[in-house]
């Protein structure tokens, strides 16, 4: 739940159900969680999987310290980071990712993979992800491949001169 | 005791610096062994796939440092397999740069005129050709039109791409499936193999030691073919001569690790690193304004909306490549494409509230991804990168099974570099935000520091022993028989894409290396034609080659 809440802070999405606590519902449409962030983080190929338990624990501690600093009382029925509002999660994650934070590189990794689940579906073959309507790739307007799973764009050029060439261009096409 | 394996010339790395020298030495008759840390993939194995473990992550290397992250190739063919194949020559003024040392950084023997014949050889071999506006993609055309609209010029860049075969799929970073990109897998490397060179993939060199007779022993580890964090045993090969071409992010690390065995390294090993002054800006186009202001229209959809379509960089603005301008104020601005995965996370919301690179506003920015245009700045940086103590193996502590690791480079941009980036940012803004065409923001340097796909200069050539690690024949000072021929030998940022210059310097280094090899008793001659047998560029370098052979 804590990792879902983290991924949702990076690429927020709509709640999966009215009582969804991890996903804050801060944006329309599916976010990193619906795009498969947990699946990607759970895959050992990323290298972050063995750290996840530790990162969840630390995120809980940071959330508690954050709450104490702001004088907040956290709902004890969910993990501390999940108990924060979206704005509070964002404020905390900003601190963890800021240059100079001693744990920054771990939070950067978690951020990178949360984002990758959404913008490139790095846990799924891309052609399959497109066929299955992967929410991130779809939202970005990534186009469908040809039937053989490869992308080709036979139309690619305005096909006319659009600027004057630099006067000192050499015959090899390079700058002088 | 079994005898150790022997070779004449051991080449470390199979990118531009390794492939070019391996070809000429093998063609000249030397026994050449190439050790490459990455796998060996053919075009049928290159995939259109972002899934971890697909060719995209197998052949790619991303090393996070302190203030600078490096991206490069990790496979037979090195950076040429993942690159965008934009191949301009460095402008004339570059060779006169002083940088941080107060005098000319390049060896006296090298300038644009003396390098041009070597550029010609590379152009013939790959080959490299000019493009016209019919070859230029929508993204390149748009950039050209915006440059023209603001009173500037713009040039289609010369490339090593067979445009007849190119499908404009923009999957170049995963390797070219269509053999359109002229990587080293299509020219120098097959020619080297045909002349008997041996290439061993998944062999990562760790350090060198000396033999009793003036040669070297190269120590390597076998890398697992899927999980690069796992190594399967080690080995060593004795060589009469070593060519180090592991790339500017790895070559100095191998030398640092060898220092206890070889003795003190020149001061410039692992110093003076340059990121080629790279920085990216992402513009978000207003599609209506593209039509109204620039009169652009695609036959099949939005006026632009084609971020995904293309073949990397096609058009560059070179107005600031003017030798009469002061150093650190000259740069090029090139249209580029960077795929999702690595190409979106650092983009910032123009004028957005913090956080600018993640969160709800960033998600809205991603929804406009098709209307993104990426502009690549290459400024003159200050050679401010320094490598710290080497990691236990390779050039990084690997984090993920492939691609991602943490390295020892630190890079803290000087005021010169920061000012140049700020100038280039302002100019990009002036061009793209004119008349409401777009909104633009630079990529953040707060996440993984600055970043570069063009690492250079970490073991550079020069005339001055205190600020260069190599003499002008690329031999490592005080360590005869070790030559460095990759991007680390280039003295400074070039303000254009560097592979053409790296390759030309490698071509230029060969006559001197052959002469040194003969002195070491290797039966080798200089004079091979282009990998496919053309000879016109060879004629152009014949006299220069004789001089270089001494
Ligand atoms: C995405 C991308 C796009 C690019 N586009 C362009 C472009 O359009 N134009 C341009 O001019 N440049 C481009 N470049 C840069 C270009 O690829 C490099 O400048 C060039 O490849 C550097 O050549 P090199 O010989 O220095 O090293 P590389 O080509 O990097 O080769 C070094 C080789 O050594 C291997 N190696 C490293 N360590 C070891 C070890 N310990 N043992 C054995 N082998 C080792 C590596 O795996 C690699 O194969 C691009 C780079 C990237 C990453």
């Amino acid at each position: 739940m804590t990792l879902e809440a983290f991924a949702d802070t990076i690429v927020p999405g709509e709640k999966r159900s009215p009582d969804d606590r991890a996903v804050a519902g801060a944006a329309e449409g599916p976010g990193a969680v619906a795009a498969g962030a947990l699946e990607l983080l759970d895959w050992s190929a990323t290298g972050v999987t063995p750290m996840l338990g530790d990162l969840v624990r630390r995120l809980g501690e940071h959330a508690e310290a954050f709450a104490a600093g702001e004088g907040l009382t956290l709902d004890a029925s969910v993990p501390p980071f999940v108990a924060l509002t979206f704005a509070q999660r964002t404020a905390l994650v900003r601190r963890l990712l800021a240059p100079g934070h001693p744990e920054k590189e771990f939070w950067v990794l978690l951020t990178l993979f949360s984002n990758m689940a959404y913008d490139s579906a790095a846990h799924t073959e891309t052609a399959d992800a497109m066929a299955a309507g992967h929410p991130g790739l779809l939202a970005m307007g990534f186009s469908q491949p040809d039937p053989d799973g490869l992308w080709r764009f036979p139309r690619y050029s305005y096909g006319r001169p659009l600027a004057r060439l630099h006067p000192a261009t050499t015959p090899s096409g390079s700058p002088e | 005791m079994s005898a150790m394996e022997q070779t004449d010339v051991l080449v470390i790395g199979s990118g531009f610096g390794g492939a070019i020298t391996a070809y000429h030495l093998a063609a000249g008759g030397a026994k050449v062994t190439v050790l490459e840390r990455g796998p060996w993939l053919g075009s049928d194995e290159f995939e259109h796939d972002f899934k971890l473990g697909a060719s995209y992550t197998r052949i790619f290397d991303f090393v996070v440092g302190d203030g600078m992250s490096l991206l490069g190739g990790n496979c037979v063919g090195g950076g040429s397999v993942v690159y965008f194949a934009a191949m301009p020559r460095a402008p004339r003024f570059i060779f006169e740069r002083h940088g941080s040392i107060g005098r000319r950084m390049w060896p006296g023997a090298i300038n644009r005129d003396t390098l041009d014949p070597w550029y010609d050889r590379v152009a013939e071999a790959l080959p490299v050709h000019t493009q016209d506006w019919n070859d230029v993609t929508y993204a390149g055309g748009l950039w050209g039109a915006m440059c023209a609209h603001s009173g500037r010029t713009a040039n289609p860049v010369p490339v090593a791409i067979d445009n007849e075969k190119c499908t404009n799929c923009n999957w170049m970073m995963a390797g070219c499936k269509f053999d359109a990109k002229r990587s080293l897998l299509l020219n120098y490397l097959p020619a080297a193999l045909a002349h008997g060179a041996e290439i061993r993939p998944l062999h990562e060199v760790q350090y060198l030691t000396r033999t009793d007779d003036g040669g070297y022993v190269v120590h390597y580890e076998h890398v697992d073919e899927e999980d690069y964090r796992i190594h399967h045993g080690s080995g060593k090969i004795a060589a009469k001569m070593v060519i180090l071409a592991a790339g500017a992010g790895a070559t100095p690390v191998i030398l640092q690790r060898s220092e206890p065995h070889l003795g003190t390294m020149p001061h410039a090993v692992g110093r003076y690193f340059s990121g080629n002054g790279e920085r990216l800006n992402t513009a978000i186009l207003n599609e209506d304004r593209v039509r109204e202001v620039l009169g652009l229209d695609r036959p099949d959809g939005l006026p632009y909306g084609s971020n995904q379509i293309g073949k990397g960089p096609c058009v560059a603005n070179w107005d600031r490549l003017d030798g009469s301008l002061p150093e650190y104020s000259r740069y090029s601005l090139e249209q580029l494409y960077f795929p999702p995965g690595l190409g979106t996370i650092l983009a910032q919301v123009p004028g957005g509230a913090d956080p600018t690179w993640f969160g709800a506003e960033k998600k809205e920015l991603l929804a406009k991804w098709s209307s993104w245009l990426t502009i690549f700045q290459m400024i003159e940086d200050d050679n401010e990168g320094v490598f710290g103590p080497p990691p236990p193996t390779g050039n990084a502590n690997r984090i993920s099974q492939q691609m991602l690791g943490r390295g020892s480079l630190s890079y803290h941009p000087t005021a010169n570099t920061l000012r140049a980036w700020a100038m280039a940012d302002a100019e990009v803004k002036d061009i793209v935000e004119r008349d409401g065409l777009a909104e633009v923001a630079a990529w953040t340097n707060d996440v993984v520091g600055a970043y570069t796909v063009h690492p250079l200069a970490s073991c550079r050539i020069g005339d001055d022993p205190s600020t260069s690690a190599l003499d002008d024949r690329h031999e490592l000072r005080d360590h005869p028989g070790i030559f460095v021929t990759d991007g680390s030998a280039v003295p400074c940022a070039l303000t254009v894409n560097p592979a053409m210059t790296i390759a030309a310097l490698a071509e230029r280094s060969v006559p001197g290396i052959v002469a040194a090899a003969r002195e070491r008793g290797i039966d080798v001659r200089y004079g091979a034609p282009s990998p496919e047998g053309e000879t016109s560029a060879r004629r152009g370098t014949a006299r220069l080659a004789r001089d270089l052979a001494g």
Side-chain angles (χ1 to χ4, degrees):
Chain A
M1 226 180 169
T2 299
L3 289 173
E4 286 187 339
F6 184 93
D8 183 63
T9 310
I10 304 307
V11 188
E14 65 200 9
K15 284 183 181 291
R16 293 161 289 185
S17 65
D19 53 359
D20 195 340
R21 294 293 300 270
V23 173
E28 282 175 25
V33 175
L38 268 286
E39 220 177 302
L40 181 58
L41 291 168
D42 273 336
W43 184 14
S44 62
T46 57
V48 294
T49 319
M51 309 173 199
L52 293 178
D54 188 42
L55 291 177
V56 167
R57 184 181 54 75
R58 284 170 195 251
L59 203 51
E61 287 167 10
H62 287 304
E64 277 165 357
F66 179 90
E70 307 275 311
L72 308 167
T73 316
L74 295 178
D75 174 356
S77 69
V78 290
F81 184 75
V82 177
L84 299 177
T85 65
F86 183 75
Q88 291 162 347
R89 293 176 188 178
T90 303
L92 172 55
V93 170
R94 266 183 59 199
R95 279 186 212 172
L96 299 178
L97 290 167
H101 191 283
E103 296 165 5
K104 177 187 167 200
E105 71 179 275
F106 302 106
W107 305 117
V108 166
L109 279 176
L110 211 52
T111 303
L112 277 178
F113 287 113
S114 300
N115 186 68
M116 265 190 201
Y118 185 83
D119 87 339
S120 52
H123 53 295
T124 319
E125 284 179 26
T126 309
D128 292 349
M130 290 304 300
H134 181 268
L137 289 168
L138 225 59
M140 285 163 59
F142 207 78
S143 70
Q144 290 290 344
D146 287 349
D148 62 358
L150 302 176
W151 279 260
R152 296 175 188 82
F153 298 102
R155 290 181 169 178
Y156 61 90
S157 179
Y158 294 114
R160 60 187 165 94
L162 289 162
R164 202 164 40 86
L165 300 188
H166 193 288
T169 309
T170 63
S172 70
S174 287
E176 163 60 26
Chain B
M1 215 178 88
S2 66
M4 197 192 305
E5 186 182 349
Q6 308 271 340
T7 191
D8 287 341
V9 184
L10 192 300
V11 178
I12 303 171
S14 59
F16 287 96
I20 291 172
T21 48
Y23 162 63
H24 282 288
L25 288 158
K31 179 173 161 58
V32 175
T33 309
V34 181
L35 299 184
E36 163 58 53
R37 71 173 168 185
W40 193 345
L41 274 70
S43 43
D44 56 330
E45 291 169 279
F46 298 134
E47 295 159 294
H48 289 186
D49 194 354
F50 295 126
K51 188 178 180 184
L52 303 186
S55 66
Y56 179 43
T57 63
R58 288 173 74 194
I59 65 178
F60 211 85
D61 197 48
F62 179 21
V63 176
V64 181
D66 166 21
M68 174 71 78
S69 295
L70 307 183
L71 291 86
N74 178 77
C75 58
V76 173
S80 81
V81 179
V82 300
Y83 82 154
F84 295 131
M87 294 296 268
R89 303 178 186 203
R92 184 168 291 278
F93 66 80
I94 282 297
F95 301 93
E96 309 306 321
R97 283 193 61 193
H98 285 195
S100 57
I101 65 172
R103 72 192 99 86
R104 202 168 175 273
M105 284 190 273
W106 288 75
I110 303 179
N111 56 44
R112 174 66 182 267
D113 291 328
T114 59
L115 203 56
D116 258 331
W118 302 104
Y119 279 130
D120 290 341
R121 289 211 68 161
V122 180
E124 180 176 80
L126 289 179
V128 177
H129 62 87
T130 56
Q131 298 195 99
D132 67 26
W133 292 97
N134 289 310
D135 303 312
V136 162
T137 56
Y138 295 123
L142 172 64
W143 176 235
M146 290 200 287
C147 288
H149 181 65
S150 65
R152 292 168 170 85
T153 68
N155 282 49
V157 294
V159 290
I161 299 173
D162 180 344
N163 283 337
E164 293 291 307
K165 292 186 178 162
C166 180
T167 64
N168 288 283
C169 70
N170 252 341
W171 281 94
M172 299 178 92
M173 277 167 63
C176 180
K177 226 186 152 53
F178 307 109
D179 279 345
K181 179 164 78 178
R182 301 295 302 174
S183 80
L184 297 163
L185 295 172
L186 301 180
N187 35 64
Y188 286 100
L189 288 172
L193 290 170
H195 286 286
E198 233 195 287
I199 304 174
R200 299 190 193 164
L202 300 168
H203 283 58
E204 185 176 72
V205 172
Q206 307 303 341
Y207 62 96
L208 315 181
T209 54
R210 285 186 198 286
T211 62
D212 294 337
D213 57 359
Y216 294 91
V217 179
V218 176
H219 301 254
Y220 60 84
E221 293 190 7
H222 291 283
V223 179
D224 184 79
E225 65 173 335
E226 184 182 348
D227 191 336
Y228 303 159
R229 294 169 295 199
I230 299 169
H231 289 190
H232 302 288
S234 57
K236 52 189 173 179
I237 303 178
K240 294 181 181 140
M241 197 159 137
V242 173
I243 295 182
L244 244 175
T251 284
V253 183
I254 294 169
L255 290 175
Q256 287 176 317
R257 200 180 287 116
S258 305
E259 192 160 25
H261 311 286
L262 300 184
T264 310
M265 285 294 142
H267 176 76
V269 168
R271 291 193 175 78
Y272 303 110
F273 170 93
S274 163
N276 206 29
E278 261 173 60
R279 180 172 168 87
L280 294 174
N281 281 234
T282 294
I284 320 301
L285 273 299
N286 177 327
E287 296 284 345
D288 291 336
R289 298 302 287 159
V290 170
R291 181 185 291 122
E292 293 157 9
V293 176
L294 302 177
L296 293 179
D297 239 328
R298 279 167 58 188
D300 54 347
L302 292 170
Y304 168 59
S306 42
N307 185 29
Q308 192 184 339
I309 301 173
K311 41 183 174 264
C314 282
V315 170
N317 168 263
W318 289 335
D319 290 342
R320 299 285 311 180
L321 299 186
D322 173 350
S324 70
L325 296 171
E327 198 169 3
Y328 305 112
S329 72
R330 304 168 294 197
Y331 47 80
S332 61
L333 303 174
E334 188 172 276
Q335 158 270 326
L336 186 71
Y337 169 78
F338 232 77
L342 301 172
T344 69
I345 181 73
L346 303 179
Q348 304 192 79
V349 180
D354 234 359
T356 52
W357 60 277
F358 66 90
E361 275 194 81
K362 176 64 181 279
K363 188 184 178 193
E364 286 171 27
L365 194 76
L366 287 172
K368 299 179 193 155
W369 182 76
S370 300
S371 296
W372 287 21
L373 176 72
T374 304
I375 304 300
F376 189 35
Q377 314 168 352
M378 287 165 270
I379 59 118
E380 298 168 289
D381 77 352
D382 231 348
N383 293 85
E384 53 266 72
V386 179
F387 283 81
T393 60
N395 65 329
N397 289 304
R398 287 194 174 273
I399 298 168
S400 303
Q401 75 174 17
Q402 296 163 4
M403 195 157 80
L404 187 62
R406 181 165 239 308
S408 62
L409 175 64
S410 70
Y411 187 95
H412 301 291
T414 66
N416 287 331
T417 301
L418 291 171
R419 212 177 313 115
W421 277 336
M423 274 180 82
D425 280 353
E427 182 155 0
V428 172
K429 198 174 168 70
D430 178 46
I431 297 170
V432 307
E433 293 199 344
R434 240 177 234 224
D435 297 315
L437 283 168
E439 284 188 298
V440 68
W443 284 19
T444 175
N445 282 2
D446 286 348
V447 184
V448 291
Y451 40 79
T452 184
V453 298
H454 297 163
L456 297 172
S458 50
C459 189
R460 63 187 184 175
I461 48 173
D463 290 332
D464 169 15
S466 65
T467 59
S468 62
L470 314 172
D471 63 25
D472 80 343
R473 300 196 332 169
H474 293 245
E475 195 164 25
L476 184 65
R477 296 180 188 284
D478 309 324
H479 300 274
I482 298 179
F483 288 81
V484 176
T485 57
D486 58 16
S488 50
V490 174
C492 61
L494 302 172
T495 66
V496 294
N497 320 64
M500 191 64 177
T501 302
I502 295 169
L505 287 174
E507 277 281 0
R508 179 188 173 276
S509 75
V510 177
I513 293 175
V514 167
R518 292 172 65 86
E519 279 166 29
R520 294 180 161 258
I522 300 173
D523 185 12
V524 59
R525 307 176 144 275
Y526 179 72
S530 190
E532 290 199 3
E534 301 97 333
T535 54
S536 83
R538 180 175 64 180
R539 273 195 295 283
T541 53
R543 211 174 48 81
L544 292 167
R546 275 198 298 280
D547 294 346
L548 283 161

